[in-house]
Amino acid sequence: MRNVLTVCPYCGCGCGLYLRVDGKKVLGTLPSKEHPISHGQLCLKGWNVHSFIHSSQRLREPLVKADPAGTYRGTGWDEAYSLITKRLMEIQKKYGSNSIGIIGSAKCTNEESYLLMKFARSVLGTNNIDSCVRLCHAPTIAGLGDSFGFGAMTNSINEIENAKVILVIGSNTTEEHPIVGTRILKAIDQGANLIVVDPRRTQIANISHLHLQPAPGTDLILISGLIRIIIEENLANFDFISRRTENFEVVKESVKKFTPEYVEKTTGLSFSNLRETALMYGHSKASMIIYGMGITQHINGTDTVQAFANLAMLTGNIGRESTGVNPLIGQSNMQGACDMGVLPDYFSGYQSIKDKKNVAKFEKAWSTKLPADKGLSFMEMIKRARQGKIKAMYIVGENVLLSAPNINEAIEALSHLEFLVVQDMFLTETAQLANVVLPSASFAEKNGTFTSTERRVQRIRKCIEPLGGTKPDWQILSELAQRAGYTEMKNKNPREIMEEIASITPIYEGISYEKLDNTAGIQWPCFDKSDTGATFLYKDSFASGKAYFIPVDFTQGSEVPDKEYPYFLIAGRREFQFHTGSMTRKSPTLEREFPYGLVEINPNDADDLKVKSGWRVKIASRHGELETNVSITTAVPEKTVFIPFHFKEGAANLLLGNSDLDPKSKIPEFKVCAVKISSI
Amino acid sequence: MNNVKILFKEDINKFVQICLKEAKVIAPFKTTYGDTIFSPVTSPSEVVIDHGYENSIIPPKEFFLPQEETMLTYGRYKEGYKFKPSLADESKRIIFGIRPCDVSAILFLDRFFRSDIEDIYYLKKRENTALISFCCHEPQETCFCICTDSGPFLTYGFDLQFIDLEDRYFVEIGTPKGEKLIKFNKNLFKDVSVADEKLRQEIVESTKNKFKSARAYFSKTIRKLSEGKVDRNVWDELGQRCFSCGGCSYVCPTCSCFDVADLLRSRDGYSRIRTWDSCMFAGFTKEASGHNPRLEKKDRVCRRYYHKLSYQYVEKNETHGCVGCGRCIVTCLGNINMPVVVEKIRRS
Ligand code: SF4
Ligand code: SF4
Ligand code: SF4
């Protein structure tokens, strides 16, 4: 039996675990005790990572759609590659490069994401590349990027336990990021105060000192209100503001309208609770803000993230240990996909494509001519596909249908395409629409690196050979590029790809496999060989010297409950399933915990509706409808219901359809939707 | 008194070599990353049994009840369904360097897997495995076997027990299986002197004082729990902290729950596998109707400790269900663990 140290492929915590390998089989998982994040612990998903690897549902050979009815025929790699290159080149010629769209994955390694963006820009000649980060954390990338310099967690997971005040907002931490949850518990045990802002009464809300349940979608107002109170109570840190920031006066002016009366009225919270929160946060010198997708998946997403930045700067709670603004990234390598430039407007390391110098640098390194026009984001690609303007898409490891906000719209868009390629381990709902499906290897079958939510770049290691018939994503991309006649992607192995990444990406410049193999990972930025990375950012200066206060204002989304659709719907995840379930639903233990979709309803609402636990109900929004099972719980407040989004039988995304996008980050309004419920 | 011998440390590698010839040797193995894991070894140099080697992250119970084990495979062929049992591994094995707490736990598991229905998957492996236990002189901070009466020195349960006497080991022979291992190389093992006996005694005494963790007051706790005198708040509070990760059951050397599932694992058919399970999962007690008698986490935490500590079970299992290995202290995401629970109950 071999024990191979690798990284958990599920959430963004980045736990270190051993896969236990007997011959060609992965038979078990155990946590690493020496690992700085896992400390001998894993969540249930982590303990069961081995269980999807050998699933019989894994794809074992490339599939080509044989007829429009959707029957597939297995084929060899050769034929699949020929077909793909031929069709993509035809489409490129006929409609231009920008008629092709590429969607990357938060589950691919950094090396694979880098190759994908190189493939998109060099071979396909388009900047139309994005990933599901657009559906989760685009506001973080855009928001924190503009305020501080980097769109990433400013501090580290291990610093949480020494914080004095923790403000958790829009994050069901114990279920979504269990290891972060443990550190918060530890902080509380050591005397920290925890404030949780969430319309739902989650586990972390249960153990908080103060639980604020604002009306869904009003977090921005709440934060702006806090900023105003802190200024009025003279808790602003003027020394920090004048030394390290710019534009404070404008924000000071802009929060004036967030009067106690206005905030109370819109959020439904009491002023005394708000004041208590403001005083707690403002008085402490180690206040940490931790937030999740409850914040970002809104039309106000970027503005709210920037309001957090303002709050942190206002009190000087940034640039030191146990402070900062800390987004919890949902998937194992979503941070890495962004770092690697799987974004329509950036090359790897957040080097803007708008900057001519960057373009010239990449053109030289890749011996190619690069497209100059800004690419389309995820939702824009879907929209254009629906309009018939995007003709072909190349999707890697993403079950777009279940993760996009409006399934019906996404199905329509993908069905409109002339050509769709999907690379995945399973024949997901999305793959079932593809013309060609390429079977990829799992994380246990390849080498590479993942970057966790705290910017920690770590090695994942190959434990077994790719299951017969599959190939790692990096190899597929490299071979395909060569087929297309591009010779700059003849990569022998991931190590070599990382060398290329380091040579061209300043924040990864000091990272090499050699260094990673001797450490538990390196937290970027890591600028040179001797650099050991940074546990927290902006100690002495922000990315461009000073941080910037950005004034923000509240935009009311169009999805508010009314007479016809009286309930707020919140969509989110539950602890035992992961994302769209393409991996977790293959594990018997996980599947047993939470086997079907459901809707959580408050007991009073259930009385009104005359429904009982376990009953089937129909839920309809202005955009679609679904049937699911009732679960009655006081975890949701009255007039609010919650649906997890892991299940194709009752996927919350059937109901969302609001085409409002956050103007700054292009994330769709995900979290708030108005619905009606009827028993069947 | 057990039969006793002396083995000089310079000869230990030779002894490992003999063991390797006799059987598959499973020993504590230190990964390059510094973690200690029990793993099959092929040479004495891989075995880590230096003075205070840490106990492994998961207990050696995995070699009797693996995290995942195929019990049989079946599929439909032209001739109809065909079933192929995948019987337990019957190769000879030695677990070299198992700690006393884990030996005690295996005795506990033996009783479980022998009672009622004899579990051949477990018992076959158990029969063919010898346990060579190494006593702990440097307990870890999390160890409390001294409170549970399951270490750090045992009087029975092991096949061989090694006690470190600086330059040599004091070797106690517990069973004929152990006796046989010694017989293979008689001249490696020397006779015991009076001074050896004395030193052994001194070490046994002095080790007792090295246990750091506050003593867990088991008897009082067991009494309170069995008499139903535990305040509900205790379970409420603990339940709030549980993440339902199952880790406490997975790492506990006395936990024996498993789940059986039929999975489509290949094109030809199904594998019936059994995997570790945990009473901390909602799915563990969920009934077909959807009703769940232990829906709430607090009820599951309560149940877990009730099973480990109440008279009812202590009587049935001949002892309480904790051997003080301290693994749940490390692995619990919510810092719910045996010493914490015992203390909370005692004070409630
Ligand atoms: S899902 Fe997250 S918390 Fe759970 S084991 Fe994996 S990385 Fe750790
Ligand atoms: S309850 Fe905890 S300390 Fe006791 S045997 Fe189990 S894991 Fe070890
Ligand atoms: S280890 Fe702790 S958190 Fe996990 S199931 Fe057990 S008690 Fe709950």
Side-chain angles (χ1 to χ4, degrees), chain B residues 264-275:
Chain B
L264 193 56
R265 274 285 165 85
S266 74
R267 288 190 194 160
D268 321 321
Y270 288 83
S271 300
R272 174 160 300 171
I273 58 156
R274 83 162 155 194
T275 59

Side-chain angles (χ1 to χ4, degrees), chain A residues 8 10-11 13-15 42-43 45-46 178-179:
Chain A
C8 175
Y10 291 130
C11 85
C13 290
C15 289
L42 293 174
C43 76
K45 293 187 290 279
I179 291 290

